[in-house]
Amino acid sequence: WYAGYHLANILRHALAVLLVFGFIREIFLLTGHHRPRAQWLALAAALVFAVHPVLSDAVNSVFNGSDIYVAVFVLGGLWYLLANYREKPLKAWAVAGLCYFMALLYKESAVAMPALAVVAIWLTSTEAWKKRLARVLPVLVLLLPLVAYLGMRAEALEEFDSLASRISLVSSAYAQEPASADTARAASEATLREFGLTFDAGRTALAVSMWFDALRLMVWPHPLATLREPSQTSFWMAAIAQTALLGLCVFAWFRKRPEPILGLLFFYLAILPASRIVGEGALQPLLMDRMLYLPSVGLMVCLAALLSWLARRFQPRLAIAVAAVLVLAFVPVTWARNGDWSDEIGLLENDFAVTQQNGQLMYALVRAQAADRN
């Protein structure tokens, strides 16, 4: 019953939207905004998140529903932590740890949650740095669910590794480092391989270009596709543009507005696990729409900060109008994208056309046509 699976994902997405609202509202309350303003800023950002076309792939695909679960547990844990870490630190960190473990079971992209917690607490606090350090030190508790998860992962991969040793294509992806590598690096690489992971600093340039493409796609969601080719964006253009954006956020931070830098760091930390700098085998960084579900929350924080600036600099009605225009512009695009997902062959034909003939999409399209006896 496909409609049932789709309805379940819509309900999960609705829960995620509510958690985005609560998380962003908590951030703006902690950074000194009055409750009414924090609420309408968070509401505006959550509405844009709710109807953003890029996120429709996570909602329309049963397989991609794991990204929604990750967002639900990560945002729920962070919201509870931010609201309670001062008065009830033990309970706050315990709940965050439980949410972290649950999120990891759904998808490894949740691994960044401890770093997100540190950034959120540090940047929303106005206390002296020593006091902030004491506030974030309990994040070490989150190592327990991470170690438990990695142990489960290593156990699960044992059988796979024994099979991989007999398959040249897979075993080459997990090949040993050459003997010329220094001892420390070889040891760290060996440790990663125990968990089925490899580290390749050479992927960083591709990841930087991929991050730029992700930012552009969130601002201008076209073309939408289930599969994409590796980024063709110039590394230097991507690096300069993102450095400039980071500089603007740092400038706002020095002006006592930490929300933009918090949102941008949230984006990068959340997308880093999917960037494949540390990843499985020889896979290269590759942008997929579903990867942006959790990272986009950081950009919604940036959007709320922009709306706040518009309200202060001009008037609240202008900020509300901007948010309304974004929602109204995204709704028909998302509606059309949902229509693409209503038919597998139609979806693949559409995506094959807009991505300049992606080879994986051609394979999937031929397979779908064959299954339909066409």
Side-chain angles (χ1 to χ4, degrees):
W1 184 42
Y2 297 121
Y5 286 104
H6 184 56
L7 177 60
N9 262 14
I10 290 174
L11 293 175
R12 295 183 192 111
H13 180 56
L15 175 59
V17 170
L18 293 175
L19 292 171
V20 168
F21 167 77
F23 175 66
I24 296 179
R25 183 185 63 174
E26 192 66 33
I27 286 174
F28 279 80
L29 287 174
L30 291 173
T31 54
H33 291 73
H34 296 300
R35 182 170 293 273
R37 171 166 289 191
Q39 290 192 161
W40 74 258
L41 288 172
L43 177 61
L47 287 175
V48 173
F49 176 87
V51 300
H52 201 290
V54 173
L55 309 183
S56 60
D57 275 17
V59 181
N60 280 292
S61 168
V62 176
F63 171 78
N64 294 341
S66 57
D67 290 276
I68 304 178
Y69 275 119
V70 167
V72 165
F73 283 108
V74 169
L75 292 174
L78 290 177
W79 181 12
Y80 189 86
L81 180 63
L82 287 176
N84 296 281
Y85 76 91
R86 287 185 176 89
E87 290 79 15
K88 306 173 185 175
L90 291 178
K91 185 177 180 181
W93 286 103
V95 170
L98 177 61
C99 290
Y100 184 36
F101 184 66
M102 293 300 298
L104 283 170
L105 293 180
Y106 279 104
K107 200 166 187 178
E108 293 170 343
S109 56
V111 72
M113 183 176 169
L116 296 176
V118 171
V119 167
I121 292 174
W122 192 279
L123 292 176
T124 55
S125 175
T126 57
E127 298 170 318
W129 71 268
K130 290 184 178 180
K131 189 68 174 178
R132 295 190 206 190
L133 184 61
R135 298 286 194 190
V136 301
L137 273 180
V139 75
L140 297 175
V141 172
L142 299 188
L143 290 176
L144 297 177
L146 178 60
V147 169
Y149 169 75
L150 289 176
M152 294 168 62
R153 188 183 195 279
E155 179 102 9
L157 286 175
E158 281 187 4
E159 184 176 349
F160 170 77
D161 288 340
S162 65
L163 175 64
S165 64
R166 300 192 296 271
I167 303 176
S168 60
L169 181 63
V170 178
S171 61
S172 65
Y174 292 89
Q176 297 292 324
E177 282 291 313
S180 59
D182 62 82
T183 305
R185 181 184 174 190
S188 63
E189 290 288 335
T191 302
L192 283 173
R193 279 195 298 273
E194 289 181 7
F195 301 105
L197 301 173
T198 58
F199 170 74
D200 185 358
R203 300 174 188 164
T204 305
L206 283 174
V208 170
S209 297
M210 186 201 80
W211 298 336
F212 176 83
D213 292 344
L215 290 168
R216 180 198 59 76
L217 194 63
M218 289 299 299
V219 175
W220 185 258
H222 179 81
L224 299 173
T226 51
L227 290 170
R228 300 178 184 276
E229 297 288 352
S231 176
Q232 300 299 312
T233 303
S234 164
F235 165 75
W236 291 109
M237 185 185 79
I240 291 171
Q242 291 175 89
T243 301
L245 181 60
L246 181 62
L248 286 175
C249 293
V250 171
F251 175 75
W253 184 26
F254 282 122
R255 297 291 300 271
K256 308 300 182 184
R257 298 295 174 185
E259 302 90 357
I261 189 67
L262 191 159
L264 195 62
L265 289 176
F266 188 107
F267 169 81
Y268 284 117
L269 290 170
I271 203 173
L272 185 61
S275 301
R276 294 176 173 173
I277 298 172
V278 175
E280 297 182 356
L283 297 174
Q284 296 297 311
L286 183 64
L287 178 63
M288 296 183 184
D289 291 3
R290 66 174 182 266
M291 290 164 42
L292 296 177
Y293 196 87
L294 179 61
S296 68
V297 176
L299 300 183
M300 295 304 110
V301 175
C302 294
L303 173 62
L306 176 61
L307 295 176
S308 177
W309 178 80
L310 289 174
R312 292 195 315 271
R313 184 71 175 80
F314 301 98
Q315 51 183 325
R317 283 182 294 181
L318 176 61
I320 294 172
V322 169
V325 167
L326 286 175
V327 171
L328 293 176
F330 284 157
V331 164
V333 182
T334 301
W335 188 272
R337 186 59 179 167
N338 290 342
D340 292 338
W341 272 90
S342 63
D343 175 72
E344 182 184 13
I345 292 177
L347 172 70
L348 294 171
E349 287 178 339
N350 174 78
D351 291 5
F352 181 71
V354 301
T355 56
Q356 286 101 34
Q357 304 178 351
N358 178 287
Q360 294 183 68
L361 283 171
M362 170 59 84
Y363 172 78
L365 179 56
V366 170
R367 185 176 59 183
Q369 294 280 21
D372 201 39
R373 300 185 180 278
N374 186 344

